[in-house]
Amino acid sequence: MNQRLIIHLDMDCFYAAIEVRDAPELAGKPVAVGGASDRRGVLTTCNYEARKYGVRSAMPTYMALRKCPGLIVLPTRFDVYRAESARIRKIFRRFTDLVEPLSLDEAYLDVSRLTHPGAAIAAEIRGRILEQTGLTASAGIGPNKLVAKIASDWNKPDGQYEVTPQTVAAFLRDLPVRKLWGVGDISAGKLERLGARTCGALQAFSRIELHGIFGKFGLELYDLCRGIDNRPVEPSRPRKSLGTEETFPTNLTSLQECEARLASLHAGLLAELAEKEASREIHKLFVKLKFGDFSRTTVERVGDRPLLEEYRRLLAEGFARREQSIRLLGLGVRFAEEPAAPEQLALALEPSRAGFPGT
Amino acid sequence: MKFSVSKDKLVQGLQTVQNVVSTRTTLPILSNVLLQAGEGEVRLTTTDLDVGVRGAVEAAVERPGATTLPARRFLSIIRELPTAEIQVEVDSKNQASIRSGPSFFKILGLPEEEFPPLPKFEDAKVFTIRQKDLKDGLKKTSYAISTDETRYVLNGILCSFKDNKLTLVATDGRRLALVDIEMEFPRSHEVDIIIPAKAVTEIQRLLTDDGDAKLTVGANQVSFEANNTLLVSKLIEGNYPNYRQVIPNEAKERVTLEREIFLNSVHRVSLLASEKSNSVKLVFSRNNIDIMANTPEVGEAKESLPVQYKGKELSIAFNPEFLMAPLRNLSNDEIFFDLIDEMSPGVLKIQSPFLYVLMPMRIS
């Protein structure tokens, strides 16, 4: 394979950064986005000011507030995040068609075809993101996805790190094995007992030894700890559904209020359908609702035309399911899959309850 | 190391072991065959770390020694050599010189020490089984092994040694094949093991119709010895599902079929089973089966077979490949097909301890 040039771009605490950008008075304060102060809520993201207090993503909100009583917790605004994400992806696509988004705030770019040095490309992309969105991103540049992804963490936030084919070996020498894919607590523990805490130490093991310890994954580890990864950057696969949604700053309390919002969401859905999936056959329509108490419901119906009055009916049905205010309203379509084929029935095999007698 | 050997015997010996050698291995030593020249023979060993095979060929050994050579390349050269007798000489740098009449080849090998040793067995249980029985049992079951890697316990054959009987079971979750083989062993030898598909294929190649095979079961590996060849394989770890519960207790309807005629009919009709649906429909009526298939916008096929059937009218659909697989691997003329209804498994049986449970297809 020719030498590739892969960039992993990772937005810095994306959702929190958007909130701070949109409310400058929050600058310099600990800010998190997530499930309000509700006991069951968890944080989606928090900014670096909050991290100083030990606050982390996915931490229950009440726990985060205990660590950092001054933490400002804002509700998520996914429509805004999605819009920003779309703007950022547009920037990526100006550099290459080979963009593989991992989530709203992360993507791999294969920029092998560009003639500029990797660091210059990454700096240019990050500069354009900052210029157009006011948000900072970090980048890792490497000969493959594995190395690029690890490198993007190196000078985070608002930084970048390049690992060239010549420096891959040095980069990996002291890298903890835990940073590799597929190495979780169990594998890392096993490796530590074998004296392999770093990739460098792991490199001392032969393929045969690693196969003996981890089976097939051992052979993969042999490559990973040497920074070898041949997986291509793959632009996304066909989607199964397409939808749009809005979280309201204050909950909607009547069906009429919801209906008023439905029309603009519906228009947005039609526009997105026309832009992205104009040729797909629609199988189902759905409306999803998130209530004041964070419970959710989805109402769906078989139909091949995304008509506003159908969505009105679905909304009324969903609204009637709970006597609750509405936090979020979403609507969308599910696409038809291949025509139904006769179904092969399965044997009712259950795992045996009794274990095998020992050999 | 230096020896001369008959070309035909060396070709045969290499063919026995070369299947295990992977072509796309990431570990170069595994592409090689280990040659060990000793008294009157050269031992040949290959492994992919999961399965290893060792055989031997008679040879006039002038200087004992060992090396490893790229297996496929070595075989392709030997096969083409012009004389019946060939000389092989390997120097201390593992360069092999091959001489045959006017031909001279030099190929580069790797040191013997790099070759992973075949595993040792401790506390093993040893069984003796008639080769013919095992070969026949594997043939009748191995086609049903699952290739779905997410169901790894099904990626092999269950060998259950119990009550002086070896039960072989293979299933992919849609059909299940089972054979019982009578054999003798002490109660302390009762054990269940799962032999991976690749080893099963190799074992089948190794077995002949005559004599016994020695089977050794260790903690997580198994070995087979037959016809001067040894095969060692890792076992699949895990519990095989409780297969007994998917075997229907009793059938409502039994139809007796002539295997080859039925197979040929299903095969012909399946030519018009659509790729997408891939099903054939069997309609049972008094002393008759209609076998049917169709592909929308292409056409349809139908064949009627006179059979012995006195049950109620029944229509049931199967994947034709799943229906034909056991028919191809049995040798009996007469088979029995037991059915319950169109949503329950059908069971193929013969006059000996074999059964094949097959789930139908639901046609919407």
Side-chain angles (χ1 to χ4, degrees):
Chain A
M1 189 185 289
N2 287 335
Q3 195 57 60
R4 293 185 299 158
L5 186 56
I6 310 296
I7 299 177
H8 176 250
L9 264 142
D10 192 7
M11 300 300 296
D12 301 320
C13 33
F14 189 49
Y15 307 158
I18 292 174
E19 298 303 336
V20 174
R21 177 199 67 187
D22 293 352
E25 68 276 12
L26 296 177
K29 295 179 183 158
V31 174
V33 173
S37 51
D38 183 270
R39 279 185 306 126
R40 290 156 305 169
V42 292
L43 300 184
T44 316
T45 325
C46 60
N47 66 2
Y48 282 89
E49 283 79 359
R51 290 183 197 189
K52 282 183 203 147
Y53 292 87
V55 176
R56 296 280 176 270
S57 304
M59 183 179 274
T61 309
Y62 75 92
M63 198 187 286
L65 285 167
R66 215 180 280 161
K67 285 185 187 280
C68 174
L71 183 68
I72 299 159
V73 182
L74 301 165
T76 53
R77 295 189 297 157
F78 272 100
D79 45 351
V80 176
Y81 310 151
R82 245 192 292 274
E84 289 303 335
S85 181
R87 276 164 77 178
I88 293 162
R89 281 181 201 168
K90 258 186 197 155
I91 297 172
F92 294 161
R93 294 212 169 85
R94 266 183 235 137
F95 290 81
T96 174
D97 288 334
L98 293 173
V99 177
E100 179 179 333
L102 296 177
S103 59
L104 287 181
D105 57 350
E106 254 187 281
Y108 288 114
L109 280 69
D110 184 333
V111 293
S112 310
R113 293 173 129 203
L114 302 182
T115 50
H116 293 82
I121 301 167
E124 178 68 23
I125 294 173
R126 291 174 45 238
R128 289 203 198 176
I129 293 173
L130 183 62
E131 190 184 297
Q132 293 181 29
T133 68
L135 301 168
T136 63
S138 297
I141 305 120
N144 57 46
K145 285 162 120 178
L146 167 74
V147 172
K149 172 125 186 174
I150 298 169
S152 69
D153 227 20
W154 235 238
N155 282 327
K156 206 168 177 51
D158 197 18
Q160 63 182 52
Y161 190 81
E162 176 167 22
V163 182
T164 62
Q166 291 74 35
T167 56
V168 166
F171 179 69
L172 283 147
R173 196 175 306 127
D174 300 319
L175 189 76
V177 290
R178 219 171 254 279
K179 296 267 180 190
L180 301 174
W181 285 309
V183 180
D185 289 342
I186 294 172
S187 311
K190 249 190 203 176
L191 286 169
E192 191 149 338
R193 284 194 291 283
L194 295 166
R197 205 188 54 80
T198 63
C199 290
L202 186 53
Q203 286 172 14
F205 290 77
S206 71
R207 280 206 173 92
I208 293 171
E209 287 167 319
L210 289 176
H211 186 276
I213 303 164
F214 295 104
K216 257 187 203 166
F217 178 57
L219 297 180
E220 213 172 297
L221 262 183
Y222 182 90
D223 285 345
L224 293 180
C225 73
R226 284 169 175 72
I228 299 168
D229 169 23
N230 293 323
R231 296 168 316 151
V233 169
E234 291 174 305
S236 59
R237 274 163 259 146
R239 67 184 99 220
K240 288 182 168 171
S241 66
L242 183 73
T244 176
E245 60 187 41
E246 187 179 357
T247 306
F248 308 113
T250 52
N251 294 358
L252 308 184
T253 49
S254 70
L255 183 57
Q256 286 69 32
E257 273 180 277
C258 292
E259 281 181 344
R261 302 296 186 120
L262 190 69
S264 74
L265 279 169
H266 181 254
L269 175 69
L270 293 187
E272 213 172 330
L273 269 174
E275 187 197 336
K276 293 179 182 157
E277 299 286 356
S279 62
R280 295 283 294 277
E281 187 190 337
I282 293 165
H283 173 52
K284 271 180 174 175
L285 315 180
F286 68 86
V287 162
K288 76 176 182 190
L289 296 171
K290 200 181 202 180
F291 296 97
D293 65 352
F294 285 86
S295 65
R296 305 151 180 267
T297 191
T298 301
V299 197
E300 54 182 52
R301 184 165 298 161
V302 175
D304 55 7
R305 289 178 309 159
L307 300 175
L308 182 58
E309 62 249 45
E310 279 299 334
Y311 284 112
R312 266 210 198 96
R313 255 172 245 149
L314 293 173
L315 169 63
E317 197 180 320
F319 190 82
R321 286 182 183 173
R322 307 258 206 301
E323 287 183 19
Q324 282 266 355
S325 59
I326 302 290
R327 278 177 60 80
L328 173 150
L329 168 59
L331 74 174
V333 298
R334 303 199 199 285
F335 296 109
E337 287 173 21
E338 296 297 293
E343 182 196 358
Q344 169 70 52
L345 303 174
L347 292 166
L349 277 176
E350 280 170 26
S352 65
R353 253 160 252 117
F356 281 168
T359 45
Chain B
M1 170 166 111
K2 191 174 178 186
F3 61 86
S4 30
V5 63
S6 132
K7 174 191 158 182
D8 289 347
K9 282 184 180 154
L10 186 55
V11 167
Q12 204 177 16
L14 287 169
Q15 276 171 341
T16 310
V17 299
Q18 71 133 14
N19 252 35
V20 167
V21 178
S22 163
T23 44
R24 26 159 219 213
T25 176
T26 42
L27 195 55
I29 190 75
L30 299 185
S31 305
N32 283 17
V33 52
L34 171 67
L35 288 89
Q36 294 164 303
E39 216 153 284
E41 62 169 28
V42 175
R43 289 211 288 181
L44 304 169
T45 310
T46 56
T47 179
D48 69 353
L49 298 178
D50 289 325
V51 182
V53 182
R54 167 171 298 157
V57 290
E58 221 178 277
V61 178
E62 211 171 296
R63 201 167 66 239
T67 190
T68 78
L69 296 174
R72 283 174 208 276
R73 188 172 297 276
F74 186 47
L75 174 57
S76 67
I77 291 167
I78 302 297
R79 205 184 263 138
E80 299 301 328
L81 291 178
T83 59
E85 232 7 66
I86 53 183
Q87 283 84 43
V88 179
E89 184 172 1
V90 182
D91 66 15
S92 58
K93 292 188 197 107
N94 294 292
Q95 295 192 23
S97 305
I98 304 160
R99 291 186 177 80
S100 159
S103 299
F104 175 76
F105 285 82
K106 181 170 264 184
I107 52 173
L108 307 181
L110 291 168
E112 175 205 9
E113 301 79 56
E114 283 185 30
F115 196 84
L118 296 186
K120 301 257 183 301
F121 283 76
E122 281 158 23
D123 296 329
K125 299 182 167 94
V126 180
F127 301 85
T128 302
I129 183 168
R130 287 177 57 202
Q131 289 195 48
K132 191 180 187 329
D133 287 350
L134 184 58
K135 189 180 172 195
D136 184 57
L138 293 175
K139 183 167 196 261
K140 286 176 179 162
T141 50
S142 57
Y143 53 83
I145 295 176
S146 171
T147 53
D148 177 354
E149 288 181 6
T150 64
R151 307 183 76 174
Y152 69 95
V153 293
L154 302 186
N155 296 164
I157 282 195
L158 171 71
C159 301
S160 176
F161 296 88
K162 210 176 174 205
D163 299 333
N164 280 327
K165 210 166 61 186
L166 166 61
T167 304
L168 302 173
V169 184
T171 180
D172 64 1
R174 298 165 294 195
R175 39 47 184 284
L176 178 145
L178 179 151
V179 163
D180 280 331
I181 300 169
E182 302 284 336
M183 52 188 289
E184 275 177 24
F185 48 83
R187 178 138 286 197
S188 61
H189 272 40
E190 294 198 339
V191 63
D192 283 2
I193 58 173
I194 309 170
I195 300 176
K198 183 169 182 182
V200 170
T201 310
E202 289 308 307
I203 294 163
Q204 286 178 279
R205 284 162 40 88
L206 199 97
L207 296 171
T208 60
D209 287 338
D210 306 306
D212 288 343
K214 185 174 134 194
L215 203 160
T216 308
V217 178
N220 41 33
Q221 59 225 12
V222 64
S223 80
F224 287 83
E225 278 177 83
N227 313 316
N228 208 17
T229 306
L230 168 76
L231 178 141
V232 183
S233 171
K234 279 192 180 169
L235 294 173
I236 293 178
E237 287 176 45
N239 291 343
Y240 206 77
N242 184 359
Y243 61 91
R244 296 267 171 213
Q245 69 189 14
V246 305
I247 303 169
N249 289 331
E250 53 184 311
K252 275 199 174 146
E253 317 294 353
R254 164 165 284 199
V255 50
T256 305
L257 295 160
E258 278 190 63
R259 183 181 59 87
E260 207 158 344
I261 292 173
F262 183 48
L263 171 60
N264 291 339
S265 292
V266 173
H267 179 65
R268 269 191 298 274
V269 168
S270 72
L271 296 173
L272 277 183
S274 74
E275 250 171 65
K276 218 176 266 163
S277 75
N278 201 22
S279 71
V280 292
K281 195 160 135 187
L282 308 183
V283 180
F284 293 83
S285 52
R286 194 174 169 79
N287 291 334
N288 185 72
I289 313 180
D290 284 339
I291 305 166
M292 295 180 276
N294 73 83
T295 303
E297 286 158 44
V298 174
E300 58 184 59
K302 180 179 159 183
E303 202 155 304
S304 296
L305 268 187
V307 291
Q308 301 168 34
Y309 181 75
K310 290 175 187 59
K312 63 163 193 210
E313 196 154 302
L314 178 66
S315 134
I316 186 165
F318 292 107
N319 176 320
E321 288 308 319
F322 294 172
L323 193 53
M324 289 187 288
L327 301 176
R328 288 197 179 108
N329 287 288
L330 294 169
S331 48
N332 312 51
D333 291 335
E334 192 181 58
I335 57 163
F336 310 107
F337 200 4
D338 290 352
L339 297 164
I340 299 166
D341 57 42
E342 73 276 7
M343 296 291 281
S344 302
V347 183
L348 281 172
K349 291 181 178 167
I350 53 177
Q351 287 291 13
S352 57
F354 162 84
L355 59 84
Y356 181 77
V357 183
L358 173 59
M359 283 305 282
M361 296 180 79
R362 174 164 53 199
I363 300 180
S364 41

